[in-house]
Amino acid sequence: MARRTGRRPGNPGTREAILDAARAAFAERGFDAASIRAIAGTAGVDPALVHHYFGSKDQLFLAAMQAPVDPRELLPTVLAGDPGGIGERLVRTFLAVWDSPAGTAGVALLRSAVSNEWTARLLREFVVTQVLRRVLHHLDVAPAELPLRGSLVATQLIGLAMIRYVVRLEPVASAAPETLVASVGPTIQRYITGDLPPQRDSAGS
Amino acid sequence: MARRTGRRPGNPGTREAILDAARAAFAERGFDAASIRAIAGTAGVDPALVHHYFGSKDQLFLAAMQAPVDPRELLPTVLAGDPGGIGERLVRTFLAVWDSPAGTAGVALLRSAVSNEWTARLLREFVVTQVLRRVLHHLDVAPAELPLRGSLVATQLIGLAMIRYVVRLEPVASAAPETLVASVGPTIQRYITGDLPPQRDSAGS
């Protein structure tokens, strides 16, 4: 072999070392700024080995977050079809994931995010880069409005998860998914495609 | 008297000293880790006096929660005036509380609620009995619809708090309050007074 990294690919613990380094990098630098090369360096392995184990940077990120689902597999269902129905489809898909066994991991992720700034940062990066960016770039929305629309969508979806799965406030906690799709879908739709107020930051208030 | 605590029960300021200590303990340590004994110690009183004033730890917790954000003082502002503006007024009042020093205790409450079922229960009781019930009973809404409307309002408000104060996703995290009032107010308005789907529980789905 021409290249030696000092660790054999099969070395037990190598995979975990890469994931630890990835978690640190994504949380500290954000998804876009974190590089496979730097993560490999921290873990003491060759970058090729990171790709070998985890594939793309997206996939490494999902593995590092222990994300129970890959948004790239779910989003085509949401994005296909009438743009006027995207709000309802997003809520329907969201509930299908959370109502499945994967929802347990989702609740664990929420718990971790609120008690730990590092996880909160990872969750933020996940929501923005893996979900919202993909949904919103697919649509005919002014780029300058994407961040506000995206984070408004996030307020409603994270709140739905909190009330249904964590606080378990009735009747949302045990409502039929389609009741929630019909109730919350129009909210999401408005945040994505409806009229929003001109944006100001708090310095301008 | 068989027992002396160094302060007479009627000492002015004793009650406030206990509430201040409780608020600090609950905010810093969360509901579970905060103890009546430690709170009494901080306030310089006997633990029995805390029980005498407030009853159980639950009751003390609710008292500590209500002191900075007593819904009975805030809700008249929300409820007064045009019923069509109640959504915006509720969001405006909600943000004013969370943007104030009381918001620190709110974040601690959210953290505690997601990691602990007991606190989640307290939060649920607080939201339902202190806020939603008062808002919704004031309005001309079919009683059978109150629980769904109330818990939908809760999804949007708890999500707004999560994204703005815990996950801190931009631009919601630092948006001017009025941007959020204009964005989220119509959602709350619709949940309170708008058309909602016929309700089914999950058994009927």
Side-chain angles (χ1 to χ4, degrees):
Chain A
M1 261 202 280
R3 181 200 280 159
R4 298 279 303 184
T5 62
R7 290 193 197 211
R8 292 168 53 216
N11 194 343
T14 299
R15 206 171 180 281
E16 274 312 308
I18 294 170
L19 287 175
D20 284 346
R23 251 170 244 130
F26 288 131
E28 285 166 13
R29 308 178 54 84
F31 177 82
D32 295 324
S35 76
I36 295 275
R37 178 169 301 277
I39 289 165
T42 304
V45 302
D46 192 278
L49 190 60
V50 178
H51 288 294
H52 171 73
Y53 275 146
F54 297 100
S56 67
K57 188 163 120 178
D58 281 313
Q59 290 169 298
L60 174 61
F61 182 50
L62 293 177
M65 285 206 65
Q66 297 179 294
V69 296
D70 185 341
R72 281 172 309 177
E73 291 173 12
L74 298 170
L75 287 179
T77 311
V78 175
L79 298 174
D82 170 27
I86 197 168
E88 294 201 347
R89 291 195 301 274
L90 187 54
V91 174
R92 189 175 292 118
T93 302
F94 183 84
L95 291 172
V97 170
W98 281 83
D99 285 341
S100 80
T104 307
V107 170
L109 189 60
L110 273 187
R111 289 194 207 289
S112 183
V114 297
S115 59
N116 181 283
E117 169 60 23
W118 209 23
T119 313
R121 245 180 271 173
L122 284 176
L123 180 60
R124 194 163 60 208
E125 289 296 313
F126 176 80
V127 169
V128 171
T129 67
Q130 305 300 304
V131 183
L132 297 179
R133 195 181 285 175
R134 289 192 172 116
V135 171
L136 293 166
H137 279 250
H138 179 85
L139 299 168
D140 185 23
V141 168
E145 297 177 353
L146 289 180
L148 180 60
R149 291 185 185 280
S151 55
L152 287 171
V153 169
T155 67
Q156 178 60 88
L157 291 183
I158 203 172
L160 182 57
M162 284 286 292
I163 291 297
R164 185 167 169 89
Y165 306 103
V166 177
V167 180
R168 296 203 196 94
L169 180 63
E170 295 293 357
V172 162
S174 50
E178 284 305 311
T179 297
L180 299 175
V181 167
S183 303
V184 175
T187 298
I188 303 294
Q189 187 71 41
R190 182 174 146 268
Y191 289 161
I192 293 176
T193 62
D195 285 339
L196 289 182
Q199 200 181 328
R200 297 176 298 166
D201 64 20
S202 48
S205 67
Chain B
M1 263 199 282
R3 182 201 279 158
R4 298 280 302 182
T5 63
R7 289 196 197 205
R8 291 168 54 216
N11 195 341
T14 298
R15 200 171 184 282
E16 276 311 308
I18 294 169
L19 283 175
D20 284 346
R23 236 169 266 131
F26 290 137
E28 285 166 16
R29 307 175 56 85
F31 181 82
D32 295 325
S35 75
I36 296 274
R37 177 168 303 274
I39 288 165
T42 303
V45 302
D46 192 279
L49 189 60
V50 178
H51 288 293
H52 170 74
Y53 274 145
F54 297 101
S56 66
K57 186 166 135 182
D58 284 299
Q59 289 170 297
L60 174 62
F61 181 53
L62 288 172
M65 273 168 58
Q66 286 174 338
V69 289
D70 189 341
R72 284 168 303 184
E73 290 174 13
L74 297 168
L75 287 178
T77 311
V78 174
L79 298 174
D82 170 28
I86 197 168
E88 294 200 347
R89 291 196 300 273
L90 187 53
V91 175
R92 188 175 293 117
T93 301
F94 183 84
L95 291 172
V97 169
W98 280 82
D99 285 341
S100 80
T104 307
V107 170
L109 183 63
L110 276 185
R111 288 195 207 289
S112 190
V114 297
S115 60
N116 179 276
E117 169 58 24
W118 200 18
T119 312
R121 219 177 299 164
L122 286 174
L123 179 61
R124 195 163 60 208
E125 287 300 304
F126 177 80
V127 168
V128 170
T129 66
Q130 307 297 307
V131 183
L132 297 179
R133 193 178 291 170
R134 290 190 171 117
V135 171
L136 293 166
H137 279 248
H138 179 85
L139 299 168
D140 186 22
V141 167
E145 296 177 353
L146 290 180
L148 179 60
R149 292 185 186 280
S151 54
L152 287 171
V153 169
T155 67
Q156 178 60 88
L157 291 183
I158 202 172
L160 182 57
M162 284 286 292
I163 291 297
R164 184 166 168 91
Y165 305 103
V166 177
V167 180
R168 295 203 197 94
L169 181 62
E170 294 293 356
V172 163
S174 51
E178 284 305 311
T179 298
L180 299 175
V181 167
S183 302
V184 174
T187 298
I188 302 294
Q189 187 70 41
R190 183 174 146 269
Y191 290 161
I192 293 177
T193 61
D195 284 338
L196 290 183
Q199 202 182 325
R200 296 176 299 165
D201 64 21
S202 48
S205 66

